[in-house]
Amino acid sequence: MQRILINQFPFLLIDESQDTNKQLIDALLSVESAHRQEFCIGFIGDTMQRIYSDGKEKIEEELPPVWAKPAKKLNHRCPKRIVRLINKIRSEVDRQQQEARTDKEEGHVRVFILPIDTADKISQEDAARKLMAKAASDEAWLDREQCKILTLEHHMAARRMGFSGVFDPLYEVEDFRTGLLDGSLSMMRVFTDRVLPLVKAEQDKDKFTAAKIVREFSPILSVDSIKAAPDQRKQLQKAKIAVQSLMSLWKNGEPTCGAVLENVEQSGLFSIPDGLKPLLAIQQDETNEADDTKDEVSEQVAALEKMLHASFSEILHYARYVADDAPFDTHQGVKGLEFDRVMVVMDDSEARGFLFGYEKLLGAQDKTTADLKNQNDGKETTIDRTRRLFYVTCSRAKKSLGLVIYSAKPTAVKDYLTKNGWFDEAEIILKL
Protein backbone atom coordinates (compact mmCIF):
# COMPACT_ATOMS: atom_id res chain seq x y z
CA MET A 1 0.00 0.00 0.00
CA GLN A 2 2.83 2.39 0.82
CA ARG A 3 4.58 1.60 -2.45
CA ILE A 4 1.37 2.22 -4.44
CA LEU A 5 0.94 5.58 -2.71
CA ILE A 6 4.44 6.93 -3.22
CA ASN A 7 4.66 5.70 -6.82
CA GLN A 8 1.36 7.34 -7.74
CA PHE A 9 1.78 10.50 -5.65
CA PRO A 10 5.41 11.23 -4.76
CA PHE A 11 4.32 14.72 -3.69
CA LEU A 12 1.32 14.95 -1.38
CA LEU A 13 -0.12 18.12 0.19
CA ILE A 14 -2.76 17.88 2.95
CA ASP A 15 -4.87 21.03 3.29
CA GLU A 16 -6.66 21.73 6.59
CA SER A 17 -4.21 19.28 8.13
CA GLN A 18 -5.16 20.32 11.67
CA ASP A 19 -8.66 18.88 11.13
CA THR A 20 -7.63 15.81 9.13
CA ASN A 21 -8.31 12.54 10.93
CA LYS A 22 -5.48 11.87 13.39
CA GLN A 23 -5.11 8.21 12.34
CA LEU A 24 -4.61 9.26 8.73
CA ILE A 25 -2.05 11.90 9.74
CA ASP A 26 -0.12 9.32 11.80
CA ALA A 27 -0.18 6.87 8.90
CA LEU A 28 1.14 9.46 6.45
CA LEU A 29 3.88 10.49 8.86
CA SER A 30 4.94 6.82 9.08
CA VAL A 31 5.07 6.54 5.28
CA GLU A 32 7.14 9.73 5.05
CA SER A 33 9.57 8.49 7.68
CA ALA A 34 10.08 5.15 5.92
CA HIS A 35 10.40 6.61 2.40
CA ARG A 36 11.84 10.08 2.92
CA GLN A 37 14.06 9.92 -0.17
CA GLU A 38 11.14 9.04 -2.47
CA PHE A 39 8.13 10.69 -0.86
CA CYS A 40 7.52 14.33 0.03
CA ILE A 41 4.57 15.36 2.11
CA GLY A 42 3.40 18.80 3.20
CA PHE A 43 0.82 19.89 5.77
CA ILE A 44 -1.04 23.12 5.17
CA GLY A 45 -3.13 24.48 8.02
CA ASP A 46 -3.46 26.58 11.14
CA THR A 47 -3.46 24.81 14.50
CA MET A 48 -5.59 27.60 15.97
CA GLN A 49 -8.36 26.60 13.55
CA ARG A 50 -8.69 22.98 14.67
CA ILE A 51 -12.36 22.61 15.58
CA TYR A 52 -13.12 18.90 15.04
CA SER A 53 -12.45 16.37 17.77
CA ASP A 54 -10.87 13.78 15.48
CA GLY A 55 -8.11 16.18 14.39
CA LYS A 56 -4.60 15.60 15.68
CA GLU A 57 -3.74 17.63 18.78
CA LYS A 58 -0.42 19.51 18.81
CA ILE A 59 0.41 18.31 15.32
CA GLU A 60 3.21 20.86 15.05
CA GLU A 61 5.11 19.21 17.92
CA GLU A 62 5.31 15.85 16.12
CA LEU A 63 6.71 17.08 12.83
CA PRO A 64 10.20 15.73 12.12
CA PRO A 65 12.94 18.30 12.87
CA VAL A 66 14.22 18.03 9.28
CA TRP A 67 10.96 19.44 7.93
CA ALA A 68 10.89 23.04 6.78
CA LYS A 69 8.28 25.12 8.59
CA PRO A 70 7.47 28.23 6.53
CA ALA A 71 4.91 30.56 8.08
CA LYS A 72 2.29 32.64 6.31
CA LYS A 73 2.36 35.92 8.20
CA LEU A 74 0.39 38.20 5.90
CA ASN A 75 -3.37 38.20 6.51
CA HIS A 76 -5.08 39.13 3.25
CA ARG A 77 -8.63 39.02 4.60
CA CYS A 78 -8.99 41.01 7.79
CA PRO A 79 -8.61 44.73 8.44
CA LYS A 80 -5.90 45.93 10.80
CA ARG A 81 -8.02 46.12 13.95
CA ILE A 82 -9.27 42.56 13.59
CA VAL A 83 -5.77 41.25 12.90
CA ARG A 84 -4.64 42.81 16.18
CA LEU A 85 -7.58 41.13 17.93
CA ILE A 86 -6.92 37.63 16.62
CA ASN A 87 -3.22 38.01 17.45
CA LYS A 88 -4.26 38.75 21.05
CA ILE A 89 -6.61 35.78 21.15
CA ARG A 90 -3.89 33.32 20.15
CA SER A 91 -1.01 34.97 22.02
CA GLU A 92 -1.53 32.69 25.04
CA VAL A 93 -1.27 29.61 22.82
CA ASP A 94 1.74 30.18 20.57
CA ARG A 95 3.94 32.89 19.12
CA GLN A 96 2.39 32.89 15.68
CA GLN A 97 1.43 36.46 14.81
CA GLN A 98 -0.05 37.80 11.60
CA GLU A 99 0.25 41.12 9.86
CA ALA A 100 -2.47 42.99 8.00
CA ARG A 101 -1.92 44.22 4.47
CA THR A 102 -0.74 47.81 4.39
CA ASP A 103 -3.56 48.72 2.01
CA LYS A 104 -6.25 47.38 4.36
CA GLU A 105 -8.57 49.74 6.22
CA GLU A 106 -8.47 49.99 10.01
CA GLY A 107 -11.75 48.13 10.49
CA HIS A 108 -14.19 48.16 13.40
CA VAL A 109 -14.95 45.84 16.32
CA ARG A 110 -17.58 46.16 19.04
CA VAL A 111 -18.50 43.92 21.96
CA PHE A 112 -22.04 43.87 23.35
CA ILE A 113 -22.20 42.17 26.76
CA LEU A 114 -25.75 41.39 27.88
CA PRO A 115 -27.27 39.55 30.86
CA ILE A 116 -27.73 35.86 30.24
CA ASP A 117 -31.42 36.11 31.19
CA THR A 118 -32.16 38.79 28.60
CA ALA A 119 -35.83 38.34 27.67
CA ASP A 120 -35.87 39.21 23.96
CA LYS A 121 -32.46 38.30 22.64
CA ILE A 122 -33.43 38.64 19.00
CA SER A 123 -34.43 42.28 19.37
CA GLN A 124 -31.26 42.99 21.35
CA GLU A 125 -29.17 41.52 18.56
CA ASP A 126 -31.05 43.71 16.08
CA ALA A 127 -30.22 46.72 18.28
CA ALA A 128 -26.56 45.66 18.28
CA ARG A 129 -26.57 45.65 14.48
CA LYS A 130 -27.88 49.21 14.49
CA LEU A 131 -25.01 50.25 16.73
CA MET A 132 -22.59 48.43 14.42
CA ALA A 133 -23.98 50.40 11.47
CA LYS A 134 -23.24 53.62 13.33
CA ALA A 135 -19.79 52.56 14.58
CA ALA A 136 -18.65 51.32 11.17
CA SER A 137 -20.49 54.01 9.18
CA ASP A 138 -21.96 51.14 7.21
CA GLU A 139 -25.73 51.06 6.74
CA ALA A 140 -25.53 47.53 5.33
CA TRP A 141 -25.44 46.38 8.97
CA LEU A 142 -29.11 47.41 9.21
CA ASP A 143 -30.01 44.69 6.70
CA ARG A 144 -29.67 41.29 8.31
CA GLU A 145 -29.38 39.69 4.88
CA GLN A 146 -26.09 41.52 4.31
CA CYS A 147 -24.52 40.20 7.52
CA LYS A 148 -23.34 36.78 8.60
CA ILE A 149 -24.62 35.97 12.07
CA LEU A 150 -22.92 33.04 13.76
CA THR A 151 -24.60 30.93 16.42
CA LEU A 152 -23.06 28.09 18.38
CA GLU A 153 -25.82 25.56 17.62
CA HIS A 154 -28.23 25.07 14.73
CA HIS A 155 -31.33 25.40 16.90
CA MET A 156 -30.20 28.92 17.87
CA ALA A 157 -30.27 29.88 14.19
CA ALA A 158 -33.61 28.10 13.76
CA ARG A 159 -35.17 30.20 16.52
CA ARG A 160 -33.80 33.46 15.11
CA MET A 161 -34.86 32.65 11.55
CA GLY A 162 -38.26 31.32 12.57
CA PHE A 163 -38.17 27.62 11.71
CA SER A 164 -37.88 26.03 15.16
CA GLY A 165 -41.25 24.35 14.72
CA VAL A 166 -40.01 22.13 11.90
CA PHE A 167 -36.37 21.89 13.00
CA ASP A 168 -36.31 21.26 16.75
CA PRO A 169 -38.48 18.11 16.90
CA LEU A 170 -36.61 16.40 14.06
CA TYR A 171 -33.17 17.40 15.36
CA GLU A 172 -33.93 15.53 18.59
CA VAL A 173 -33.97 12.27 16.59
CA GLU A 174 -30.38 11.21 16.00
CA ASP A 175 -31.24 9.25 12.84
CA PHE A 176 -32.66 12.41 11.26
CA ARG A 177 -29.88 14.87 12.05
CA THR A 178 -27.50 14.42 9.12
CA GLY A 179 -30.26 14.50 6.52
CA LEU A 180 -31.98 17.39 8.27
CA LEU A 181 -28.82 19.50 8.19
CA ASP A 182 -27.80 18.79 4.60
CA GLY A 183 -31.32 18.92 3.21
CA SER A 184 -31.45 15.28 2.11
CA LEU A 185 -34.07 14.03 4.62
CA SER A 186 -36.75 12.51 2.38
CA MET A 187 -39.60 13.46 4.73
CA MET A 188 -38.66 17.12 4.32
CA ARG A 189 -37.90 17.11 0.60
CA VAL A 190 -41.54 16.71 -0.39
CA PHE A 191 -42.01 20.12 1.25
CA THR A 192 -38.74 21.81 0.22
CA ASP A 193 -38.25 20.38 -3.28
CA ARG A 194 -41.85 19.90 -4.44
CA VAL A 195 -44.50 21.93 -2.60
CA LEU A 196 -42.44 25.03 -1.76
CA PRO A 197 -41.21 25.74 -5.33
CA LEU A 198 -44.73 25.16 -6.69
CA VAL A 199 -46.38 27.43 -4.13
CA LYS A 200 -43.79 30.14 -4.76
CA ALA A 201 -44.29 29.93 -8.52
CA GLU A 202 -48.07 30.15 -8.13
CA GLN A 203 -47.83 33.09 -5.74
CA ASP A 204 -45.47 34.84 -8.17
CA LYS A 205 -47.92 34.06 -11.00
CA ASP A 206 -45.12 32.23 -12.79
CA LYS A 207 -47.30 29.75 -14.67
CA PHE A 208 -44.43 28.40 -16.75
CA THR A 209 -42.38 27.31 -13.70
CA ALA A 210 -45.47 25.97 -11.94
CA ALA A 211 -46.38 23.84 -14.96
CA LYS A 212 -42.81 22.59 -15.25
CA ILE A 213 -42.77 21.46 -11.61
CA VAL A 214 -46.06 19.58 -11.95
CA ARG A 215 -45.00 17.93 -15.22
CA GLU A 216 -41.69 16.83 -13.75
CA PHE A 217 -42.76 15.64 -10.31
CA SER A 218 -46.48 14.94 -10.15
CA PRO A 219 -47.66 11.32 -10.57
CA ILE A 220 -50.80 12.73 -12.17
CA LEU A 221 -48.78 13.72 -15.23
CA SER A 222 -46.31 10.85 -15.28
CA VAL A 223 -45.81 9.06 -18.60
CA ASP A 224 -47.66 5.98 -17.35
CA SER A 225 -50.58 8.05 -16.03
CA ILE A 226 -50.94 9.96 -19.30
CA LYS A 227 -50.82 6.76 -21.37
CA ALA A 228 -53.37 5.01 -19.14
CA ALA A 229 -55.80 7.92 -19.11
CA PRO A 230 -58.81 7.51 -21.45
CA ASP A 231 -58.85 11.26 -21.91
CA GLN A 232 -55.52 13.08 -21.55
CA ARG A 233 -57.24 16.44 -21.31
CA LYS A 234 -59.07 15.26 -18.22
CA GLN A 235 -55.75 14.20 -16.72
CA LEU A 236 -54.38 17.69 -17.28
CA GLN A 237 -57.52 19.11 -15.72
CA LYS A 238 -57.04 16.82 -12.72
CA ALA A 239 -53.55 18.23 -12.20
CA LYS A 240 -54.89 21.78 -12.50
CA ILE A 241 -57.59 21.09 -9.90
CA ALA A 242 -54.98 19.56 -7.57
CA VAL A 243 -52.85 22.71 -7.76
CA GLN A 244 -55.88 24.91 -7.18
CA SER A 245 -56.84 22.82 -4.16
CA LEU A 246 -53.35 23.21 -2.71
CA MET A 247 -53.32 26.96 -3.20
CA SER A 248 -56.76 27.30 -1.61
CA LEU A 249 -55.12 26.47 1.72
CA TRP A 250 -53.61 29.97 1.76
CA LYS A 251 -56.99 31.77 1.51
CA ASN A 252 -57.40 31.91 5.28
CA GLY A 253 -53.77 32.48 6.26
CA GLU A 254 -50.74 30.24 6.40
CA PRO A 255 -51.57 26.51 6.60
CA THR A 256 -49.72 23.98 8.72
CA CYS A 257 -47.34 21.45 7.20
CA GLY A 258 -49.84 18.77 8.17
CA ALA A 259 -52.65 20.46 6.24
CA VAL A 260 -50.41 20.73 3.19
CA LEU A 261 -49.39 17.07 3.45
CA GLU A 262 -52.98 15.89 3.75
CA ASN A 263 -54.07 18.00 0.78
CA VAL A 264 -51.26 16.75 -1.45
CA GLU A 265 -51.97 13.14 -0.51
CA GLN A 266 -55.72 13.43 -1.17
CA SER A 267 -55.26 15.07 -4.56
CA GLY A 268 -52.35 12.86 -5.57
CA LEU A 269 -50.39 15.94 -6.62
CA PHE A 270 -47.08 14.57 -5.30
CA SER A 271 -45.89 11.21 -4.02
CA ILE A 272 -45.71 10.95 -0.23
CA PRO A 273 -42.49 9.48 1.25
CA ASP A 274 -42.99 6.25 3.18
CA GLY A 275 -41.76 7.92 6.35
CA LEU A 276 -44.70 10.34 6.30
CA LYS A 277 -47.47 7.87 5.49
CA PRO A 278 -48.05 6.84 9.15
CA LEU A 279 -48.63 10.52 9.91
CA LEU A 280 -51.60 10.67 7.56
CA ALA A 281 -53.41 8.02 9.58
CA ILE A 282 -52.58 9.87 12.80
CA GLN A 283 -53.95 13.13 11.38
CA GLN A 284 -57.17 11.39 10.42
CA ASP A 285 -57.46 9.99 13.96
CA GLU A 286 -57.10 13.51 15.37
CA THR A 287 -60.34 14.49 13.66
CA ASN A 288 -62.14 11.73 15.58
CA GLU A 289 -62.69 11.41 19.30
CA ALA A 290 -59.60 10.71 21.40
CA ASP A 291 -58.85 7.03 21.79
CA ASP A 292 -56.95 6.12 24.94
CA THR A 293 -56.22 2.68 23.54
CA LYS A 294 -53.96 3.93 20.74
CA ASP A 295 -50.55 2.32 20.54
CA GLU A 296 -47.52 4.43 21.39
CA VAL A 297 -45.76 5.77 18.32
CA SER A 298 -42.04 5.59 17.63
CA GLU A 299 -39.63 8.40 18.39
CA GLN A 300 -39.39 9.20 14.69
CA VAL A 301 -43.14 9.33 14.14
CA ALA A 302 -43.67 11.44 17.28
CA ALA A 303 -41.09 13.96 16.04
CA LEU A 304 -42.65 14.13 12.59
CA GLU A 305 -46.08 14.59 14.14
CA LYS A 306 -44.81 17.64 16.04
CA MET A 307 -43.22 19.01 12.89
CA LEU A 308 -46.50 18.79 10.99
CA HIS A 309 -48.11 21.17 13.47
CA ALA A 310 -45.68 23.92 12.40
CA SER A 311 -46.67 26.61 9.94
CA PHE A 312 -45.69 25.85 6.35
CA SER A 313 -44.02 29.28 6.21
CA GLU A 314 -41.20 27.77 8.28
CA ILE A 315 -40.28 25.50 5.37
CA LEU A 316 -39.00 28.48 3.37
CA HIS A 317 -36.67 29.58 6.18
CA TYR A 318 -35.47 26.02 6.78
CA ALA A 319 -34.80 25.52 3.05
CA ARG A 320 -32.75 28.73 2.89
CA TYR A 321 -30.72 27.71 5.92
CA VAL A 322 -29.72 24.25 4.68
CA ALA A 323 -28.95 25.71 1.24
CA ASP A 324 -26.45 28.16 2.83
CA ASP A 325 -28.62 30.98 1.52
CA ALA A 326 -29.33 32.58 4.89
CA PRO A 327 -27.69 35.23 7.08
CA PHE A 328 -27.15 32.62 9.81
CA ASP A 329 -24.57 29.87 10.19
CA THR A 330 -22.79 28.10 13.02
CA HIS A 331 -19.42 28.99 14.50
CA GLN A 332 -18.01 25.72 13.21
CA GLY A 333 -19.63 25.91 9.77
CA VAL A 334 -17.84 29.00 8.47
CA LYS A 335 -14.23 27.91 8.77
CA GLY A 336 -12.47 28.87 5.55
CA LEU A 337 -15.16 31.38 4.58
CA GLU A 338 -15.16 35.17 4.74
CA PHE A 339 -17.80 37.90 5.03
CA ASP A 340 -17.81 41.69 5.08
CA ARG A 341 -19.86 41.94 8.28
CA VAL A 342 -19.75 39.25 10.96
CA MET A 343 -21.76 39.08 14.17
CA VAL A 344 -20.85 36.31 16.61
CA VAL A 345 -23.49 35.32 19.16
CA MET A 346 -22.09 33.64 22.28
CA ASP A 347 -24.64 32.14 24.66
CA ASP A 348 -23.65 29.07 26.66
CA SER A 349 -27.12 28.67 28.18
CA GLU A 350 -28.90 28.55 24.84
CA ALA A 351 -26.27 26.38 23.17
CA ARG A 352 -26.96 23.38 25.45
CA GLY A 353 -23.49 22.06 24.70
CA PHE A 354 -20.59 20.97 26.87
CA LEU A 355 -17.62 21.06 24.48
CA PHE A 356 -17.41 24.86 24.46
CA GLY A 357 -17.76 27.43 27.22
CA TYR A 358 -17.47 31.14 26.48
CA GLU A 359 -18.15 32.01 30.11
CA LYS A 360 -14.98 30.13 31.06
CA LEU A 361 -12.92 31.63 28.25
CA LEU A 362 -13.99 35.19 29.08
CA GLY A 363 -13.45 35.03 32.82
CA ALA A 364 -17.06 34.81 34.03
CA GLN A 365 -16.88 31.20 35.19
CA ASP A 366 -14.20 29.24 37.05
CA LYS A 367 -12.53 26.20 35.59
CA THR A 368 -14.05 22.88 36.58
CA THR A 369 -12.14 20.09 38.31
CA ALA A 370 -12.02 18.25 34.99
CA ASP A 371 -10.54 21.32 33.27
CA LEU A 372 -7.86 21.68 35.93
CA LYS A 373 -6.98 17.98 35.72
CA ASN A 374 -6.75 18.11 31.92
CA GLN A 375 -4.62 21.23 32.15
CA ASN A 376 -2.23 19.59 34.62
CA ASP A 377 -2.06 16.47 32.45
CA GLY A 378 -1.29 18.52 29.35
CA LYS A 379 -4.62 17.61 27.77
CA GLU A 380 -7.09 19.81 25.96
CA THR A 381 -9.56 21.81 28.07
CA THR A 382 -12.90 23.47 27.36
CA ILE A 383 -11.09 26.82 27.30
CA ASP A 384 -8.62 25.55 24.68
CA ARG A 385 -11.44 24.42 22.37
CA THR A 386 -13.45 27.60 22.88
CA ARG A 387 -10.46 29.86 22.26
CA ARG A 388 -9.83 28.21 18.91
CA LEU A 389 -13.49 28.49 17.94
CA PHE A 390 -13.53 32.15 18.95
CA TYR A 391 -10.42 32.72 16.83
CA VAL A 392 -12.10 31.10 13.81
CA THR A 393 -15.23 33.23 14.08
CA CYS A 394 -13.43 36.54 14.59
CA SER A 395 -11.08 35.90 11.68
CA ARG A 396 -13.96 35.56 9.19
CA ALA A 397 -14.60 39.33 9.05
CA LYS A 398 -13.36 41.37 6.08
CA LYS A 399 -14.58 44.77 7.26
CA SER A 400 -16.22 44.84 10.69
CA LEU A 401 -16.97 42.51 13.58
CA GLY A 402 -19.67 42.59 16.25
CA LEU A 403 -19.60 40.25 19.23
CA VAL A 404 -22.73 39.62 21.30
CA ILE A 405 -21.93 37.93 24.61
CA TYR A 406 -24.64 36.75 27.01
CA SER A 407 -23.16 36.32 30.46
CA ALA A 408 -24.19 35.79 34.07
CA LYS A 409 -21.45 38.28 34.98
CA PRO A 410 -21.27 41.01 32.31
CA THR A 411 -18.94 43.22 34.35
CA ALA A 412 -16.51 40.34 34.91
CA VAL A 413 -16.40 39.69 31.15
CA LYS A 414 -15.74 43.36 30.46
CA ASP A 415 -12.92 43.43 33.03
CA TYR A 416 -11.36 40.31 31.49
CA LEU A 417 -11.47 41.71 27.95
CA THR A 418 -9.91 45.05 28.91
CA LYS A 419 -7.37 43.58 31.32
CA ASN A 420 -6.06 41.22 28.64
CA GLY A 421 -5.95 43.99 26.06
CA TRP A 422 -8.42 42.35 23.67
CA PHE A 423 -10.65 45.43 23.50
CA ASP A 424 -10.58 49.07 24.53
CA GLU A 425 -13.20 50.46 26.92
CA ALA A 426 -14.83 52.40 24.08
CA GLU A 427 -15.36 49.20 22.10
CA ILE A 428 -17.41 47.51 24.84
CA ILE A 429 -21.12 48.19 25.34
CA LEU A 430 -22.94 46.86 28.40
CA LYS A 431 -26.39 48.33 27.72
CA LEU A 432 -28.18 48.70 24.41
Side-chain angles (χ1 to χ4, degrees):
M1 288 290 291
Q2 292 185 20
R3 178 55 59 184
I4 291 172
L5 172 63
I6 64 177
N7 285 345
Q8 184 70 24
F9 303 106
F11 298 94
L12 183 64
L13 298 178
I14 309 297
D15 196 12
E16 299 290 354
S17 57
Q18 76 281 355
D19 271 325
T20 302
N21 182 274
K22 64 186 73 175
Q23 283 81 17
L24 177 59
I25 290 293
D26 288 338
L28 291 172
L29 286 172
S30 296
V31 175
E32 190 275 340
S33 177
H35 303 277
R36 186 161 293 165
Q37 301 304 316
E38 307 169 83
F39 181 60
C40 182
I41 187 172
F43 292 158
I44 304 170
D46 181 357
T47 55
M48 271 298 288
Q49 296 192 49
R50 182 172 65 83
I51 60 175
Y52 298 116
S53 58
D54 64 345
K56 187 173 180 62
E57 295 182 27
K58 300 178 180 179
I59 186 174
E60 70 280 8
E61 296 180 6
E62 296 195 25
L63 298 181
V66 296
W67 279 35
K69 300 179 180 65
K72 176 181 172 291
K73 292 186 177 182
L74 194 61
N75 185 312
H76 293 271
R77 173 190 300 135
C78 302
K80 297 172 183 176
R81 176 63 188 94
I82 295 175
V83 170
R84 293 198 300 273
L85 171 61
I86 61 178
N87 282 341
K88 279 286 186 181
I89 293 172
R90 79 179 299 163
S91 62
E92 296 181 28
V93 178
D94 58 34
R95 296 181 180 179
Q96 297 287 342
Q97 296 285 283
Q98 293 185 318
E99 299 174 5
R101 290 170 53 123
T102 56
D103 59 351
K104 278 287 185 178
E105 59 190 45
E106 176 64 16
H108 302 273
V109 296
R110 290 294 185 273
V111 185
F112 307 93
I113 310 175
L114 304 173
I116 204 164
D117 58 355
T118 296
D120 189 349
K121 294 179 178 179
I122 297 176
S123 67
Q124 290 294 288
E125 290 157 22
D126 289 340
R129 284 193 295 105
K130 291 180 181 178
L131 291 176
M132 284 301 306
K134 183 177 180 180
S137 299
D138 181 3
E139 291 190 356
W141 268 102
L142 300 175
D143 181 4
R144 193 172 72 172
E145 295 292 326
Q146 297 191 57
C147 307
K148 183 58 72 171
I149 304 171
L150 307 181
T151 60
L152 195 53
E153 297 286 351
H154 294 288
H155 67 264
M156 294 171 66
R159 191 167 74 85
R160 286 161 173 80
M161 280 190 69
F163 63 92
S164 294
V166 298
F167 183 86
D168 288 357
L170 301 184
Y171 191 74
E172 293 299 319
V173 181
E174 188 172 353
D175 291 345
F176 287 166
R177 286 179 188 169
T178 299
L180 183 67
L181 293 174
D182 65 17
S184 65
L185 189 65
S186 62
M187 285 79 82
M188 292 298 291
R189 292 188 66 182
V190 67
F191 297 110
T192 59
D193 296 3
R194 304 289 189 268
V195 179
L196 180 62
L198 176 59
V199 170
K200 186 178 184 304
E202 285 288 328
Q203 291 175 339
D204 292 344
K205 302 187 184 304
D206 184 354
K207 297 298 182 182
F208 177 81
T209 300
K212 182 176 183 294
I213 293 169
V214 176
R215 285 199 308 269
E216 186 172 353
F217 298 115
S218 177
I220 298 174
L221 298 184
S222 68
V223 174
D224 292 339
S225 295
I226 293 293
K227 287 182 178 179
D231 188 337
Q232 294 184 359
R233 288 176 300 179
K234 288 186 177 180
Q235 200 69 9
L236 292 171
Q237 184 65 17
K238 182 180 179 181
K240 181 179 180 181
I241 293 172
V243 173
Q244 291 173 342
S245 174
L246 173 65
M247 297 309 299
S248 70
L249 296 177
W250 274 261
K251 288 182 178 179
N252 298 316
E254 195 76 23
T256 64
C257 293
V260 169
L261 178 68
E262 191 171 8
N263 181 280
V264 168
E265 191 273 337
Q266 288 177 355
S267 69
L269 181 58
F270 296 118
S271 299
I272 305 300
D274 291 340
L276 287 176
K277 289 178 180 178
L279 277 300
L280 294 168
I282 292 175
Q283 289 204 149
Q284 292 172 0
D285 289 342
E286 288 179 349
T287 63
N288 302 323
E289 293 183 4
D291 183 358
D292 295 335
T293 63
K294 290 179 184 176
D295 295 333
E296 290 187 6
V297 298
S298 68
E299 178 189 24
Q300 290 88 344
V301 172
L304 288 165
E305 186 178 7
K306 289 182 181 178
M307 181 272 290
L308 290 181
H309 284 90
S311 169
F312 185 80
S313 62
E314 296 193 17
I315 295 294
L316 172 61
H317 304 308
Y318 162 74
R320 288 191 61 201
Y321 184 70
V322 297
D324 293 326
D325 184 33
F328 288 89
D329 209 326
T330 60
H331 292 199
Q332 301 93 325
V334 294
K335 190 179 72 164
L337 303 179
E338 57 185 35
F339 313 94
D340 287 340
R341 302 159 203 89
V342 174
M343 173 172 281
V344 185
V345 178
M346 290 159 276
D347 187 347
D348 292 346
S349 64
E350 193 178 356
R352 310 176 194 169
F354 62 90
L355 292 176
F356 305 102
Y358 281 102
E359 289 278 71
K360 291 180 182 179
L361 173 67
L362 304 176
Q365 190 178 105
D366 294 334
K367 297 177 182 177
T368 63
T369 302
D371 285 326
L372 293 172
K373 184 179 186 304
N374 285 335
Q375 183 176 324
N376 293 333
D377 294 344
K379 296 181 180 179
E380 183 175 85
T381 67
T382 302
I383 292 178
D384 295 331
R385 288 191 295 270
T386 309
R387 184 191 303 275
R388 292 198 304 269
L389 194 62
F390 189 47
Y391 179 92
V392 168
T393 58
C394 292
S395 59
R396 299 307 95 199
K398 295 169 61 179
K399 290 185 177 180
S400 50
L401 171 69
L403 306 172
V404 179
I405 304 170
Y406 293 101
S407 174
K409 299 178 181 179
T411 304
V413 172
K414 178 182 178 181
D415 293 343
Y416 179 89
L417 295 178
T418 54
K419 179 182 178 181
N420 286 274
W422 289 15
F423 300 94
D424 299 330
E425 288 268 357
E427 295 173 328
I428 302 176
I429 295 94
L430 287 177
K431 187 177 181 180
L432 300 182

